[in-house]
Amino acid sequence: MTPVDPSGTDTAPTPGSRLRRFVRPGAALLSGFLLYLSFPPRPLWWLALPAFALLGWALRGRRLRAGFGLGYLAGLGFLLPLLVWTGEEVGAGPWLALAAVEALFVAAAGLGIAAVSRLPWWPVLAAGVWIIGEGARARVPFGGFPWGKIAFGQADGVFLPLAAVGGTPVLGFAVALCGFGLYETYRQLRVHRATGAVPRGPLAVAVLSVLVPVGGALAALPLVDDSAEDGTATVAAVQGNVPRLGLDFNAQRRAVLDNHAARTRELAEDVKAGRAPQPDFVLWPENSSDIDPYANADAADVIDGAVRAIGVPTVIGAVVAPETGELRNTLVEWDPQRGPVATYDKRHVQPFGEYIPLRPVVRLFNSNVDRVSRDFGAGTKVGVFDLAGTQVGLATCYEAAFDWAVRDTVTHGAQLITVPSNNATFGRTEMTYQQLAMSRVRAVEHSRSVIVPVTSGVSAIIRPDGEIVAQTKMFTPDVLVEKVPLRSSLTPATRMGTLPEALLVALGAAGLGWSAFRAVRARRTPAE
C-alpha cells in the first residue's frame, strides 16, 4: 500500500530519490579509488587532492554511523586495488581479509571526520583525524601495516619537501588538508552564489587550508639538498634475479646465490677491464643467500669467492638458521680478507609472511601458512655497517614502511641508507613500485642517498632529493654502479622524530573532544 501523508499527497519514493541514496556511498568509493590511482607506478600524485575533496563532501555533516560506513567504503575503494599484490601467490582470501581489516582504520577516520565536520576550521581538524587513523594503522595489530600511507604516493609531488620537515605524518597531513580545503572553498563559493553574502571567516579558513600546505612545501624546498657533505661513495647494487617467480622461487636457493655471485664476479671483470668504476662497497639484496653461510661451507665459499674477486666489503642478505629457535633474516657484512665481520637481524619481521601469528586459527582459512614452517625472530640492534669508511644504515625490505626503522639508522650515524629487498614472491605486480616510492620519500625525509638492491627488480639508486639516477628492469639480472653523495646533517624530521605526528594526533583528538563536548552540551540544553 502506498504511504500517504496527512494532506493526502502520495509520498511513494521516486526512482530519482532511490538513486540519490547511493550518491554519497558511490562518492566515498570513488574517493578511495582516486587515492589508489595517485600511487605509483602512476605519476598521478595530484589525484589525492580531488580524492580528499570528494571524501570531505561525502562525510561533511553526516551522522557518526554514516561516517563510519562511508569511511569503510572509501577504505575498500583505496586498499582493495592497492593491496591486490598480497594475493598474488596465496589466493584472494588473504588479500580480501587484509584489505577488509585495514579499511576499518579508514572507517574509524571517516567517523571522526564526520564528527568534526560541523566545527570551525574543520578541514584542519579532519586532516588531523586522518593522521590518527594512519598512525593507528601503522602500529596495530601485530606491529602495524603502514602500507598505503598517503605520503608514500607523493614521491613525485609538489608536497614532497614537507617530508624533510616532519616526515610522513606532516606530508600526509598537508595532502589531506589541501584536499579538504579545496572542497570547503568550493562549498563556500556556492554559499556566496546562493545568498550573495561573503562568508569571510569560513572562506578564509578554506583558502588557507589550500594555500598553507602549498606554501609550506615551497618554503621547505631548501631542506631538499643532494650536495655531498662528507664526500662521495661509489656504490654497486647487485640484482642477480631468481630462477622462477612466486612462493617457490627459493626452492632453487643455490641458483639464487649463484646468480648474485656471478653478477659480482662479472662486475669484477668489468672493473679490471676498465668498463666499470671500482666500487667502494657492494650491496646484495635480501634473501640473496637463503642458504645459511654459517652452517653451509659451500655457500660460504661461493660468497667468499665473489667478494674476494671484487675486493671490497659486500653486504649479503642471508637466512640464518640456528640449530634451535627462530630463523633470522640477516644482513652480513662480508670482508674480502676476513670474511663475515658484522651482522644485522631484521627487527620488524613481517606477520603472515615471515612468521604466523595465531597459526591454528589462520590455518583454518588458508593452508599456505604451513609454507612458513619455522618462524623468523626479530632482531633488536640498530643496523649501521662501516663499509670502507662509509656509515651505511640498514632497513630490510618491509622495514622501509616504518618511520622508526629508517630514522634510527640515521640518528645512529648513517651517511647513506640501503633497503635490500626481495620482491620475487609478488611477481610483476605494483608492489615493487610502491616500495620504491617509499625509499624515495625516505631519501628526502632524512636527506640521504638510498640504495635499493632487489633480487628480481626494481633495484634503484636514489639521491637525497628523491631522484632515481639508475634502476633495473624487473626479473633481469643487472648491476648498478653509481657515485652518490654522503651526508651527515639531520633534517628537522630526523631531529624531531615522532613529535610532529604526536602534535597532529593531538590536533585531531582536540577536534574530536570539541565535537563530543558540543554534542553533550546540545543534549543538555533544554529545548525552547
Side-chain angles (χ1 to χ4, degrees):
M1 183 174 180
T2 302
V4 178
D5 70 11
S7 64
T9 304
D10 192 339
T11 60
T14 65
S17 66
R18 293 192 189 98
L19 288 175
R20 281 195 292 272
R21 298 177 184 177
F22 299 99
V23 172
R24 288 186 188 272
L29 271 172
L30 179 58
S31 71
F33 189 67
L34 289 175
L35 282 179
Y36 158 69
L37 292 177
S38 74
F39 273 68
R42 294 160 295 277
L44 303 177
W45 60 269
W46 51 271
L47 282 178
L49 301 180
F52 277 107
L54 192 58
L55 183 63
W57 176 81
L59 293 174
R60 190 181 185 281
R62 299 297 96 190
R63 294 179 181 272
L64 300 187
R65 185 170 63 180
F68 185 89
L70 293 169
Y72 194 70
L73 289 174
L76 292 177
F78 174 35
L79 295 170
L80 276 172
L82 186 79
L83 302 179
V84 67
W85 51 268
T86 60
E88 176 71 7
E89 294 295 334
V90 295
W95 158 52
L96 295 174
L98 176 63
V101 170
E102 295 300 315
L104 289 172
F105 292 93
V106 184
L111 182 153
I113 292 168
V116 303
S117 65
R118 295 183 185 273
L119 299 175
W121 294 88
W122 78 266
V124 180
L125 300 174
V129 170
W130 182 269
I131 297 305
I132 292 177
E134 284 198 341
R137 192 159 67 86
R139 291 170 172 83
V140 293
F142 310 119
F145 188 73
W147 212 281
K149 271 190 169 184
I150 296 304
F152 295 145
Q154 297 296 306
D156 291 305
V158 299
F159 298 102
L160 181 61
L162 290 170
V165 175
T168 59
V170 167
L171 177 51
F173 175 83
V175 175
L177 175 59
C178 193
F180 290 140
L182 284 172
Y183 164 63
E184 181 62 6
T185 300
Y186 166 76
R187 194 177 74 87
Q188 293 301 332
L189 291 176
R190 287 198 64 184
V191 170
H192 170 63
R193 288 182 60 185
T195 65
V198 180
R200 294 183 180 178
L203 183 59
V205 170
V207 173
L208 287 174
S209 296
V210 176
L211 295 183
V212 169
V214 176
L218 294 175
L221 278 172
L223 295 174
V224 182
D225 186 352
D226 70 345
S227 62
E229 295 176 333
D230 304 319
T232 61
T234 300
V235 183
V238 177
Q239 178 173 301
N241 204 13
V242 298
R244 64 169 68 98
L245 283 66
L247 290 175
D248 292 323
F249 80 93
N250 60 358
Q252 297 185 31
R253 296 178 297 166
R254 181 55 187 267
V256 176
L257 171 58
D258 288 344
N259 285 353
H260 288 85
R263 301 290 81 73
T264 304
R265 290 193 299 269
E266 288 175 5
L267 173 61
E269 293 170 1
D270 289 342
V271 170
K272 186 176 181 180
R275 294 188 295 268
Q278 172 68 53
D280 295 309
F281 51 88
V282 176
L283 302 171
W284 287 15
E286 177 191 32
N287 298 133
S288 46
S289 177
D290 269 353
I291 304 173
D292 184 349
Y294 294 101
N296 297 273
D298 57 337
D301 288 343
V302 170
I303 295 169
D304 197 61
V307 175
R308 286 181 179 274
I310 194 62
V312 296
T314 302
V315 176
I316 310 298
V319 173
V320 175
E323 290 185 4
T324 60
E326 297 168 310
L327 300 172
R328 289 290 187 269
N329 188 337
T330 300
L331 299 178
V332 183
E333 178 185 351
W334 205 286
D335 185 84
Q337 282 76 45
R338 297 177 291 160
V341 295
T343 60
Y344 166 69
D345 293 333
K346 186 177 182 181
R347 291 175 292 158
H348 201 307
V349 292
Q350 182 181 356
F352 305 104
E354 293 173 305
Y355 77 99
I356 306 297
L358 310 173
R359 185 184 290 268
V361 176
V362 176
R363 187 183 290 114
L364 296 175
F365 300 95
N366 196 305
S367 61
N368 280 305
V369 298
D370 292 322
R371 290 177 179 266
V372 184
S373 58
R374 186 176 176 186
D375 287 341
F376 282 79
T380 57
K381 295 182 179 179
V382 178
V384 179
F385 285 168
D386 184 335
L387 301 180
T390 298
Q391 301 298 307
V392 178
L394 311 167
T396 306
C397 195
Y398 184 59
E399 292 182 321
F402 294 86
D403 295 345
W404 60 268
V406 181
R407 176 182 175 268
D408 62 11
T409 69
V410 179
T411 59
H412 281 71
Q415 300 166 295
L416 174 150
I417 299 167
T418 183
V419 184
S421 302
N422 172 27
N423 297 336
T425 303
F426 305 110
R428 298 183 182 276
T429 65
E430 295 180 358
M431 181 269 186
T432 190
Y433 299 103
Q434 294 170 10
Q435 190 176 50
L436 183 60
M438 294 179 192
S439 294
R440 295 181 63 194
V441 172
R442 299 303 183 196
V444 174
E445 181 180 7
H446 300 294
S447 195
R448 296 293 187 271
S449 298
V450 179
I451 316 302
V452 186
V454 183
T455 51
S456 55
V458 175
S459 300
I461 295 179
I462 306 165
R463 291 179 69 87
D465 61 358
E467 179 189 1
I468 297 174
V469 294
Q471 70 179 69
T472 66
K473 297 179 180 179
M474 294 183 71
F475 294 98
T476 303
D478 205 348
V479 178
L480 304 176
V481 184
E482 291 288 336
K483 182 181 290 185
V484 296
L486 303 178
R487 296 178 58 82
S488 56
S489 63
L490 303 182
T491 64
T494 309
R495 292 181 185 276
M496 291 189 290
T498 59
L499 179 60
E501 182 181 33
L503 293 174
L504 295 175
V505 166
L507 175 66
L512 294 173
W514 185 6
S515 174
F517 172 76
R518 285 181 48 155
V520 170
R521 189 175 65 176
R523 284 197 296 268
R524 290 180 177 176
T525 300
E528 295 183 0

